Amino acid sequence: MIDLLTIFVLAVFVGFEVVSKVSTILHTPLMSGANAIHGVILVGAILITGRAEHALEVTLGLLAVFLATVNVVGGFVVTDRMLEMFKGHKGGKPVKSATNGHKEVGE
Amino acid sequence: MSPTWVQLAYLVAALCFVLALKGLSTPKYARAGNLLGAAGMALAVVTAYVDGAVHNGPLILVAVVAGVAVGIPAARSVKMTAIPQMVALFNGVGGAAAALVALTEFLAVPHGSVLFQVATVLTVLIGSVSFSGSVVTFLKLQEVMTTRPVLLPAGQFLGIGVAAVSALLALSVVLTGNSALLVLLALAGLALGVLFVLPVGGADVPIAISLLNAFTGLAVAASGYVLANTLLIVSGTLVGASGTILTRLMAQAMGRPLTNILFGAFQTTTATAATEEQRTVRSGTVEDVAILLGYAHSVLVVPGYGLAVAQGQHAARELAQVLEQRGITVHYGIHPVAGRMPGHMNVLLAEADVPYEHLKELDDVNPGIGSVDVVLVVGANDVVNPGARDEPSSPIYGMPIFDVDRAKAVVFMKRSMRPGFAGVDNSLLYNPKTTMLFGDAKESLTKLLAAVKQV
């Protein structure tokens, strides 16, 4: 239990530290990226469904798996689409924006 | 305890998430960071499946495939202008998933340790709040419901009442291990989420989304205690902590403390009934504006959400090019919260190939704004509203703005006299320096482009 608490406290500091300096341009993608990461609840959803035996538990678990997958996949894809908009501008020369053919991420 | 290889895989995944967040805060590495996060997620999910899907494996796969089938098309087809509400929805389903996970585990093991019980009620409560709150922010941004603060009669007391009931329910669940009470707690959480977000209005909605995002992170962290899973604890906490910081940064970009944004609507109810007297508005023709622009030395374009919605970015860029060919300097003033979210306008303009070096931020523009000949405000309203600077009673008071009223002339392109997203009247519209050009932003810009070529 103390182990888990230690992990929690350390993660709080890491979380504060990693985004302490971020330009306003990246606020939206960062929010969206963090959003995708909390979709890791999918891991929990798979674990509980994997050991569920009663129909109700299986049903609720599967619903959680479904919702968490939407969160994960949607979160990463939307973030990638946003960031793709920026890529041409790093060198100062705009590149034609590609609204099709972006890579799929997630699973 | 899971086998060592599982623990190691989770550790690698957690590391990927830390690096992903780190990358996402630097323009250069943002995309790589996001991809790394996705890779970490893939590793974690495959590990969980191989290690934990003892029963119901095929069913789990079906649910995952269904989630992918819904998530990818939704994420790919959403317009860039609608990104904020999409993020809100994805956040909401994440919160719901966390609540469901804790609920399901509780049904299977109703009487655990006190720590387990506490973690369960926290996950269910925070997850439910996050879900219903996100749905309301979605409805607001989608403009299904009003974007203004909604104040229920005695809403404040209602909120406190529901919060008290939630606390009581949470306590009784911990003491009794009764699953019916846990379901009631989830319902109370849903009500709480709605009550929490209703009074948040206008440009503050994205900040509420960011906070709910942090909430979902905390719900996931709490579920990590329920399942004694370190990966969930680490990742959820990371998102909770970074989301809290991000929320604060966003509030700072609005120039106001967070408490003011969340609870401000309760305090400023007396305002807004300002002067309704007949004030004159000067409306001009496209030709008038073309002449004004054609003989200027410097022009500042202040784009807003209205420009993006009308898909007028390309017309704006062409107009800027024509003006530049005439030797006029053209810059874009990008407000940190232009659009529907901080940084949203940069995304929208990048999509339209507006040269990045032409985009100027507040601090670069305002000091020299007095020497700008014409400011072209296209579909923006709140970010140029002098009330944010001069009227302490204004709901957006304190938000940094472009001081366009100090420029030599202002052209305001707008559909109508209707106030902007924040629902606040703008005295700039009545300023003698201001010329109104009514109509759809794209149409007006196209006509303006033709007219400027004639000048």
Side-chain angles (χ1 to χ4, degrees):
Chain A
M1 180 182 151
I2 291 294
D3 290 349
L4 297 184
L5 197 64
T6 311
I7 291 168
F8 174 76
V9 172
L10 293 180
V12 168
F13 280 95
V14 174
F16 281 159
E17 203 52 43
V18 280
V19 299
S20 56
K21 291 179 222 78
V22 50
S23 70
T24 42
I25 298 176
L26 283 171
H27 279 177
T28 300
L30 180 61
M31 191 209 292
S32 177
N35 185 10
I37 288 173
H38 68 50
V40 73
I41 188 65
L42 178 54
V43 165
I46 289 175
L47 294 178
I48 53 149
T49 316
R51 58 179 179 242
E53 284 166 5
H54 302 295
L56 178 62
E57 290 161 27
V58 174
T59 312
L60 290 175
L62 288 175
L63 184 57
V65 170
F66 168 74
L67 294 176
T69 308
V70 172
N71 184 183
V72 166
V73 176
F76 281 119
V77 173
V78 154
T79 312
D80 189 61
R81 272 187 68 196
M82 255 187 270
L83 294 170
E84 193 179 37
M85 302 299 171
F86 289 128
K87 74 174 175 196
H89 305 287
K90 263 182 288 179
K93 194 168 164 282
V95 171
K96 184 119 187 62
S97 72
T99 39
N100 45 10
H102 27 87
K103 276 202 346 232
E104 282 172 24
V105 291
E107 291 71 47
Chain B
M1 214 50 179
S2 316
T4 310
W5 71 270
V6 173
Q7 300 286 345
L8 276 177
Y10 286 161
L11 176 62
V12 173
L15 207 61
C16 286
F17 296 157
V18 173
L19 292 173
L21 287 176
K22 186 80 193 155
L24 277 164
S25 27
T26 330
K28 205 174 158 193
Y29 301 111
R31 200 157 182 229
N34 187 52
L35 292 175
L36 188 62
M41 189 63 77
L43 173 67
V45 170
V46 169
T47 305
Y49 185 79
V50 173
D51 177 49
V54 185
H55 304 295
N56 313 315
L59 284 176
I60 293 175
L61 279 185
V62 170
V64 168
V65 169
V68 171
V70 171
I72 288 189
R76 294 183 77 169
S77 61
V78 64
K79 283 191 193 153
M80 278 295 146
T81 45
I83 286 275
Q85 50 266 52
M86 202 73 214
V87 173
L89 267 193
F90 288 146
N91 180 50
V93 295
L100 282 174
V101 165
L103 185 65
T104 312
E105 182 68 6
F106 190 79
L107 291 177
V109 191
H111 297 283
S113 67
V114 174
L115 179 74
F116 166 82
Q117 306 282 69
V118 170
T120 302
V121 296
L122 279 180
T123 311
V124 170
L125 182 62
I126 305 175
S128 314
V129 168
S130 188
F131 172 67
S132 64
S134 297
V135 169
V136 176
T137 53
F138 169 80
L139 295 175
K140 284 190 178 223
L141 288 167
Q142 192 69 26
E143 300 191 25
V144 174
M145 62 180 285
T146 174
T147 57
R148 305 221 189 158
V150 176
L151 293 173
L152 299 174
Q156 212 171 354
F157 299 105
L158 201 60
I160 293 169
V162 175
V165 170
S166 308
L168 269 178
L169 282 169
L171 191 65
S172 10
V173 172
V174 171
L175 293 177
T176 63
N178 184 327
S179 46
L181 287 176
L182 190 62
V183 173
L184 280 182
L185 178 67
L187 293 177
L190 292 177
L192 205 57
V194 173
L195 290 172
F196 173 66
V197 179
L198 274 183
V200 179
D204 294 338
V205 175
I207 295 175
I209 297 180
S210 180
L211 192 65
L212 290 170
N213 204 15
F215 278 9
T216 306
L218 289 179
V220 171
S223 79
Y225 284 98
V226 177
L227 302 176
N229 183 304
T230 48
L231 178 65
L232 295 188
I233 297 178
V234 173
S235 336
T237 310
L238 274 178
V239 175
S242 59
T244 309
I245 293 282
L246 186 61
T247 309
R248 255 192 55 211
L249 291 173
M250 283 175 152
Q252 273 169 14
M254 300 284 292
R256 285 181 308 145
L258 190 57
T259 46
N260 193 330
I261 287 167
L262 296 176
F263 307 110
F266 291 118
Q267 293 149 14
T268 53
T269 40
T270 48
T272 61
T275 45
E276 264 309 311
E277 92 254 26
Q278 288 292 317
R279 287 183 287 183
T280 50
V281 171
R282 203 156 57 101
S283 145
T285 64
V286 171
E287 287 72 23
D288 298 335
V289 176
I291 291 168
L292 197 61
L293 287 174
Y295 291 97
H297 292 289
S298 61
V299 172
L300 175 72
V301 181
V302 179
Y305 187 72
L307 173 77
V309 166
Q311 288 293 314
Q313 311 94 316
H314 293 275
R317 197 196 66 225
E318 278 179 56
L319 178 64
Q321 279 169 345
V322 172
L323 291 175
E324 278 169 347
Q325 281 159 14
R326 296 173 68 105
I328 303 164
T329 43
V330 184
H331 287 303
Y332 294 81
I334 309 297
H335 192 276
V337 297
R340 284 289 189 264
M341 260 190 183
H344 192 196
M345 187 51 68
N346 300 75
V347 175
L348 297 174
L349 290 183
E351 189 190 12
D353 301 338
V354 171
Y356 196 59
E357 60 270 29
H358 286 194
L359 309 184
K360 297 273 181 243
E361 292 187 36
L362 268 179
D363 296 340
D364 301 331
V365 169
N366 270 344
I369 206 161
S371 60
V372 172
D373 292 315
V374 186
V375 176
L376 201 57
V377 182
V378 194
N381 196 20
D382 301 328
V383 300
V384 294
N385 189 341
R389 188 186 61 217
D390 304 332
E391 290 166 34
S393 66
S394 172
I396 58 170
Y397 181 69
M399 183 174 96
I401 54 155
F402 285 111
D403 295 324
V404 300
D405 52 334
R406 290 179 184 152
K408 289 174 192 159
V410 179
V411 175
F412 221 119
M413 297 175 94
K414 221 169 140 32
R415 281 173 181 281
S416 66
M417 289 300 284
R418 222 166 64 96
F421 191 60
V424 186
D425 206 15
N426 189 344
S427 66
L428 187 65
L429 303 181
Y430 311 100
N431 190 311
K433 281 182 198 171
T434 304
T435 309
M436 300 298 298
L437 192 58
F438 290 112
D440 174 82
K442 187 181 181 182
E443 261 172 48
S444 297
L445 282 168
T446 313
K447 282 186 203 157
L448 198 53
L449 182 64
V452 167
K453 284 180 182 163
Q454 303 291 316
V455 172

